[in-house]
Amino acid sequence: MKMAAGPLSVSSNTSNNDGILIGDKLYAEVYLTIDNSVIPEERLSPTPSMLDGLDLNTETDLRILGCELIQSAGILLRLPQVAMATGQVLFHRFFYSKSFVKHSFEIVAMACINLASKIEEAPRRIRDVINVFHHLRQLRGKNDQLHLPNPG
């Protein structure tokens, strides 16, 4: 069987495990540090939410609340911690591209935990994810009612 060579060809004819040749570039190692962060610094501030008029403290509170929601849902879904952390990273990355003003953080958190469970190979049914988030919302509503001042 003969395969056609396209613009992307992979060759392993390098010696001493110097890397892998893809096209005309040799890839040998991955160098990760905090300095070569995946999100460019210019996208970190101002965020899309700030451009829509949301102040930094409110945005930070929403990010914290979203991560706590993902953590709580992950515990109830019995997900491994790595899946919850992945969901939180997805949540933060989403809101560096989109605004809290235009997107519900609860819906995004739900999508992030669902996607993270698939990525980390601990899949949960979407119905289970929806039920857990509904349960957490009901609990939060009850807690809010407990802290209201008594009329009269």
Side-chain angles (χ1 to χ4, degrees):
M1 175 180 235
K2 191 173 186 178
M3 296 181 71
L8 178 66
S9 61
V10 178
S11 172
S12 60
N13 293 340
T14 58
S15 61
N16 299 333
N17 290 333
D18 290 335
I20 186 168
L21 185 64
I22 300 177
D24 60 345
K25 290 188 176 183
L26 181 66
Y27 295 91
E29 61 185 48
V30 176
Y31 180 68
L32 294 175
T33 66
I34 197 71
D35 297 330
N36 66 354
S37 159
V38 178
I39 298 177
E41 219 171 297
E42 60 271 7
R43 286 190 54 201
L44 297 177
S45 184
T47 64
S49 300
M50 289 178 190
L51 295 174
D52 284 341
L54 197 67
D55 64 286
L56 178 63
N57 290 335
T58 305
E59 181 176 355
T60 302
D61 288 345
L62 287 171
R63 287 181 182 275
I64 291 169
L65 190 58
C67 286
E68 287 175 349
L69 189 59
I70 289 170
Q71 187 72 27
S72 298
I75 290 168
L76 292 174
L77 289 164
R78 297 184 179 180
L79 286 172
Q81 180 60 44
V82 69
M84 292 181 260
T86 299
Q88 291 168 345
V89 168
L90 293 171
F91 182 81
H92 282 298
R93 289 183 62 83
F94 179 84
F95 283 111
Y96 278 117
S97 321
K98 305 293 179 186
S99 173
F100 278 102
V101 175
K102 296 178 181 172
H103 299 278
S104 165
F105 80 94
E106 291 174 310
I107 301 295
V108 173
M110 195 182 315
C112 289
I113 198 83
N114 183 54
L115 183 57
S117 76
K118 311 293 185 215
I119 291 170
E120 297 301 335
E121 297 185 10
R124 299 298 186 265
R125 296 180 313 174
I126 189 65
R127 172 56 46 200
D128 293 339
V129 174
I130 292 168
N131 286 340
V132 162
F133 274 82
H134 181 72
H135 174 71
L136 289 171
R137 179 178 254 194
Q138 286 179 325
L139 288 178
R140 210 168 56 238
K142 285 181 183 175
N143 287 341
D144 290 344
Q145 289 175 355
L146 292 175
H147 298 293
L148 291 176
N150 290 333

